[in-house]
Amino acid sequence: MKRTTTSAPSLRPIRRLAAALLLAGVLVGFATACEPPGCAKDCVTSVAFSPGTDAYTVVLTDDAKVRVTLYNESTRTNAVASKSSNVLQKTHVLTNGAVAPNRTYWYTVTATDAAGAIYEEKGSFKAQKRTLTVKITKIVLTDDSDSVGTGELDFGMKVDLAGYGAKDFGTVYTNHDFGSGMSKDVSISRSIPDNAPNFFTVFVEGLEDDCEGIGSLCTGGLSYSYSAGGSNSDWDWATASKAVTGLPGTNGSGTWSATTSAYALKFTVSGTWTVTYAA
């Protein structure tokens, strides 16, 4: 019988492959060892801002301290907000009062690691539009100021936008049979779209018609001064106001209430506010 002999495979190719793999491992290890640690390289993974730009989240690849500075122009010469976190960690959430909505800002993130290495990340974003809706839900009339019968009342509302001017909505509710001790559940909403600031003051003025045509020229028109209060031959009036500060940097809502009691016309008005954001 013919015998077939199979020779053992050569070990040379295997040894060559092992040597190549070993050399590659040495080179990879050498490259890793030489790569700059921490914030000597790009150590910022992401930078995110809340819709109202009152919270910043910075995620890092290494533990580091951070500072976030916002500017209102691309040359970064006019800082409008700056917040720091001096804790060495990978994720930082910083908060401050919201800046103006519906406009572009430029930012610089400075990260400093434990060894003192510093890395800067720069970018820009647009703050979202902010709509504020103020609602009156209840009016309680303590004193209608009318000595005979029920009061003939008109109510006006103004929202002061804290440095952004004021929005006078004029007459928002009329009731010419509103007597002392009565209360009315109402649903009166007015909105300031897109560019509302993050705090406001609501004014509600009541006007009670005292013009009976006897001994009076009845020249006073239906207008609102939103002054504290007073009385003349045509009107008794008073204004209740409430300041609301620190609106949230994300969609949110709250309540408000205001009372006037120093003048002949006395009432309490209450309601809600709502903030919504949109790109």
Side-chain angles (χ1 to χ4, degrees), residues 49-89:
F49 298 86
S50 67
T53 323
D54 65 344
Y56 326 140
T57 301
V58 181
V59 179
L60 308 167
T61 59
D62 299 275
D63 290 340
K65 305 173 185 179
V66 299
R67 183 177 72 252
V68 180
T69 306
L70 300 187
Y71 303 86
N72 60 11
E73 28 64 61
S74 59
T75 58
R76 292 179 172 81
T77 56
N78 184 27
V80 296
S82 183
K83 282 290 179 177
S84 299
S85 172
N86 292 318
V87 181
L88 291 166
Q89 57 190 29

Side-chain angles (χ1 to χ4, degrees), residues 8-69:
S10 174
L11 293 178
R12 288 181 182 177
I14 297 175
R15 288 171 179 165
R16 290 195 191 101
L17 177 61
L21 290 173
L22 179 61
L23 178 60
V26 170
L27 291 175
V28 169
F30 180 75
T32 302
C34 290
E35 187 176 350
C39 291
K41 55 180 173 58
D42 182 355
C43 63
V44 178
T45 300
S46 64
V47 183
F49 298 86
S50 67
T53 323
D54 65 344
Y56 326 140
T57 301
V58 181
V59 179
L60 308 167
T61 59
D62 299 275
D63 290 340
K65 305 173 185 179
V66 299
R67 183 177 72 252
V68 180
T69 306

Side-chain angles (χ1 to χ4, degrees), residues 143-152 176-180 208-210 212 236:
D143 191 336
D144 63 16
S145 78
D146 200 330
S147 58
V148 180
T150 56
E152 299 172 302
H176 288 175
D177 190 19
F178 205 175
S180 300
E208 202 282 322
D209 188 354
D210 267 350
E212 304 297 340
D236 288 317

Side-chain angles (χ1 to χ4, degrees), residues 17 19 23 36 38-39 96-97 106 142 154 186 188 209 211 255-256 263:
L17 177 61
L23 178 60
C39 291
N96 67 268
W106 289 259
T142 307
D154 295 277
V186 296
I188 302 163
D209 188 354
C211 181
T255 60
W256 60 272
Y263 298 91

Side-chain angles (χ1 to χ4, degrees), residues 141-203:
L141 189 59
T142 307
D143 191 336
D144 63 16
S145 78
D146 200 330
S147 58
V148 180
T150 56
E152 299 172 302
L153 283 143
D154 295 277
F155 290 89
M157 182 169 73
K158 179 181 78 169
V159 178
D160 187 341
L161 300 172
Y164 291 78
K167 180 65 175 178
D168 186 348
F169 294 102
T171 300
V172 294
Y173 180 66
T174 296
N175 189 328
H176 288 175
D177 190 19
F178 205 175
S180 300
M182 296 174 65
S183 66
K184 297 294 180 181
D185 293 322
V186 296
S187 181
I188 302 163
S189 295
R190 297 292 185 272
S191 294
I192 297 94
D194 299 345
N195 298 313
N198 70 326
F199 57 100
F200 68 94
T201 303
V202 57
F203 297 84

Side-chain angles (χ1 to χ4, degrees), residues 90-114:
K90 290 185 174 66
T91 300
H92 297 263
V93 178
L94 302 94
T95 60
N96 67 268
V99 294
N102 195 25
R103 65 164 299 166
T104 299
Y105 289 91
W106 289 259
Y107 66 83
T108 299
V109 175
T110 304
T112 306
D113 64 19

